Amino acid sequence: MADEDRSPEDDFQELMRQLFAGMGGDVDPEQLAKMSGMDPAMMQAVMSQLQGAFNTSDPGGISWDLAKRQALHIANQDGLGVTAGQRTDLDQAFALATLWLSEATTISELSSPPRTLTRGGWVEETLPVWQELAEPVASSIADALTATLREQAPEEMQSLIAGAGKLMRTVGGSLFATQLGQVVGRLATEVVSGGDVGIPVMPAGEAAILPQNFADFGRDLEIPDDQLALYIATRELAHARLFRHAKWLRLHVMSQVTDFARGIHIDTGALEDLASRFDPSQPDELRQALESGALIPARSEAQSAALARLENVLAMIEGWVDVVTEDATSRLPTSPRIAEAVRRRRAVGGPAEQALGSLVGLEMRPRRMREAAAMWRAVGDAVGMGARDALWDYPDLMPTADDIDDPAALIARLEARARGEEPAPDEIDDALARLLAGEETQVSGEAADESPAADGDPATDAEGDDDVPEDPRPV
């Protein structure tokens, strides 16, 4: 084939054939489909993305449109699946849940009505958030793939590598975009509501339930659908109300996640090892490495610190939602059973943890949720739900990890504030007060040393020292 007749796809196949040992034969769409787990139709979209690599204006080479198409393809496989009857039942559940919730919290109602979403609708609503979380990792994978292929290539291939650098970034970006689409698509078939994920993936102040997944969640619980709908609606409204009220909270949570994600780098050693023995006829290893997060190395100290902060704030959020939902649904006979089912689902690692684990290596399991719920319960019992909910008004009022460990100290501060008393100073304030007091004493001492009386009484000195002049002032 003449050089001028070669397409970018041909160049890519030739490059992969020469770089990876044991390749033997072209990489056709069916082989790549097996590698990614996609069906041939979606693989054609990937091939189109690769063919347009040289013409793309995106310097990152990451096709988020590909991720969206893949996610929607998975989410919509079973059709839309929302009937008019389901919408009516859930609308009624939301209406009653709104009344119950207003008795359990002082945080105001939502400004927009809650919705029922299809799986595809959930993908459309939440994909921008997943893209924001995944972008640091996608860029890291694309950079690592380009660097690794450059290092693995023989000397005579370096000129081709240099010319195809943009294509290599597109290959890495397309692989990750495909993975992101699969994760979000599968997640769309599991999440029950907008707040089910734990992190705020829905727009602030919006509540939604996915009827298809709601039916799947309650299938084995042997609980009447109307009671299950009331509980899930109450919990979803509590979550949405909290994020609407505390407008700073969404940014606070997302910044903790992105702080973690920005510290991610790809294990180039694992990538090189995988590349050296990659066989397109047996692509499962590459797909599993991408899906399992095996190319993401162990957490750094900074990431561990970010994870601890994230776990604490998620525990605070979920603990508050648990307490408020429990109070609001106290009339519901099956409420304890549903709450336990929610806790069990969360304890084994819900769909969000699996998604974030494969995308950014983040194990998002707020282990302190029960302790946080106990703290909120104790605070509400001691100072009332108004003072409890007011702790979400500003970031500096939100309880800390120390407050989870010692709710009594938090309650003492709140009770003192209610009486108009200043809270007892903490150790830092104490030390600062002592330091200032010490400086004050020192200054006072120095002033005393410089005063006339410092060396004794002037009259006494006049008697014992001839050098002291007489006072020239008249008596």
Side-chain angles (χ1 to χ4, degrees):
M1 180 183 300
D3 290 343
E4 60 270 17
D5 296 330
R6 294 175 64 86
S7 67
E9 181 185 344
D10 295 326
D11 288 334
F12 170 67
Q13 292 178 359
E14 176 65 21
L15 179 62
M16 296 294 283
R17 183 166 54 249
Q18 296 188 46
L19 285 179
F20 294 132
M23 188 160 180
D26 289 343
V27 180
D28 60 28
E30 290 186 6
Q31 288 176 312
L32 287 178
K34 287 176 62 181
M35 179 177 68
S36 64
M38 291 187 297
D39 60 34
M42 284 307 301
M43 194 62 247
Q44 290 296 337
V46 175
M47 296 301 292
S48 297
Q49 173 69 18
L50 295 178
Q51 289 172 338
F54 288 122
N55 299 319
T56 181
S57 59
D58 181 5
I62 300 168
S63 173
W64 299 115
D65 286 341
L66 177 62
K68 182 177 180 179
R69 290 196 300 271
Q70 173 75 345
L72 289 174
H73 177 74
I74 295 173
N76 293 330
Q77 281 181 342
D78 295 332
L80 298 181
V82 180
T83 66
Q86 287 174 319
R87 286 195 178 93
T88 300
D89 291 345
L90 289 173
D91 286 345
Q92 292 174 349
F94 273 127
L96 183 54
T98 298
L99 296 176
W100 284 1
L101 198 58
S102 295
E103 298 174 357
T105 177
T106 59
I107 292 179
S108 60
E109 297 180 18
L110 302 180
S111 57
S112 57
R115 296 181 289 163
T116 53
L117 283 180
T118 64
R119 291 169 176 173
W122 184 87
V123 169
E124 297 271 7
E125 292 279 355
T126 65
L127 193 60
V129 175
W130 296 111
Q131 177 181 330
E132 178 185 350
L133 297 179
E135 192 161 11
V137 188
S139 298
S140 183
I141 286 180
D143 291 340
L145 182 62
T146 303
T148 301
L149 292 178
R150 185 182 299 113
E151 293 168 3
Q152 290 287 315
E155 186 65 30
E156 61 271 16
M157 292 289 296
Q158 288 299 324
S159 59
L160 179 57
I161 287 288
K166 192 175 182 181
L167 179 59
M168 291 299 97
R169 286 191 56 81
T170 301
V171 172
S174 295
L175 285 174
F176 189 83
T178 301
Q179 181 204 2
L180 173 64
Q182 289 177 331
V183 168
V184 175
R186 287 197 298 266
L187 195 56
T189 66
E190 299 178 27
V191 293
V192 176
S193 63
D196 193 23
V197 175
I199 60 175
V201 295
M202 291 287 292
E206 293 194 13
I209 286 180
L210 284 70
Q212 290 168 283
N213 302 343
F214 167 78
D216 292 340
F217 174 72
R219 185 164 290 119
D220 298 326
L221 295 181
E222 297 181 355
I223 292 173
D225 285 347
D226 57 343
Q227 295 192 35
L228 185 62
L230 265 173
Y231 185 93
I232 297 299
T234 304
R235 183 176 179 82
E236 173 66 3
L237 287 175
H239 194 274
R241 279 193 188 192
L242 176 59
F243 277 92
R244 178 179 180 270
H245 172 79
K247 294 180 172 59
W248 53 270
L249 186 57
R250 187 178 193 277
L251 179 60
H252 182 71
V253 173
M254 296 304 293
S255 65
Q256 301 294 342
V257 180
T258 52
D259 282 350
F260 181 92
R262 285 192 191 100
I264 288 175
H265 63 281
I266 300 304
D267 187 342
T268 54
L271 186 59
E272 289 174 3
D273 178 64
L274 189 62
S276 66
R277 50 191 170 79
F278 174 65
D279 182 356
S281 64
Q282 297 179 347
D284 284 346
E285 187 174 5
L286 176 59
R287 181 160 55 88
Q288 289 171 4
L290 287 171
E291 291 182 356
S292 67
L295 298 180
I296 300 175
R299 291 191 297 266
S300 65
E301 290 185 8
Q303 284 182 303
S304 296
L307 177 59
R309 292 192 299 270
L310 177 63
E311 285 184 337
N312 278 318
V313 71
L314 290 177
M316 292 286 184
I317 294 168
E318 294 298 317
W320 182 88
V321 170
D322 278 355
V323 168
V324 170
T325 302
E326 181 181 350
D327 291 346
T329 58
S330 58
R331 303 179 182 89
L332 206 59
T334 56
S335 176
R337 288 177 56 200
I338 304 173
E340 185 57 33
V342 171
R343 280 192 289 268
R344 283 200 309 269
R345 185 170 184 251
R346 200 163 47 202
V348 298
E353 182 180 353
Q354 296 167 13
L356 289 171
S358 61
L359 287 176
V360 296
L362 175 60
E363 297 174 4
M364 192 190 68
R365 189 177 306 177
R367 297 168 178 83
R368 307 192 69 191
M369 203 172 300
R370 287 182 183 271
E371 290 109 341
M375 180 206 71
W376 287 117
R377 173 63 65 197
V379 169
D381 291 345
V383 300
M385 68 179 182
R388 176 201 68 193
D389 294 345
L391 293 175
W392 293 108
D393 288 351
Y394 302 101
D396 54 346
L397 295 179
M398 187 179 73
T400 65
D402 291 338
D403 293 325
I404 296 179
D405 296 330
D406 186 11
L410 172 61
I411 292 170
R413 294 200 305 271
L414 294 175
E415 290 176 336
R417 190 176 296 141
R419 294 192 301 267
E421 301 172 1
E422 287 297 320
D426 58 20
E427 293 181 5
I428 296 178
D429 291 337
D430 245 344
L432 181 60
R434 287 195 300 270
L435 177 63
L436 292 174
E439 289 178 354
E440 226 172 80
T441 303
Q442 184 180 1
V443 170
S444 300
E446 290 172 357
D449 289 342
E450 293 171 1
S451 67
D455 295 327
D457 185 79
T460 305
D461 287 344
E463 293 176 6
D465 190 344
D466 295 338
D467 294 332
V468 178
E470 292 183 8
D471 190 340
R473 292 173 297 176
V475 178

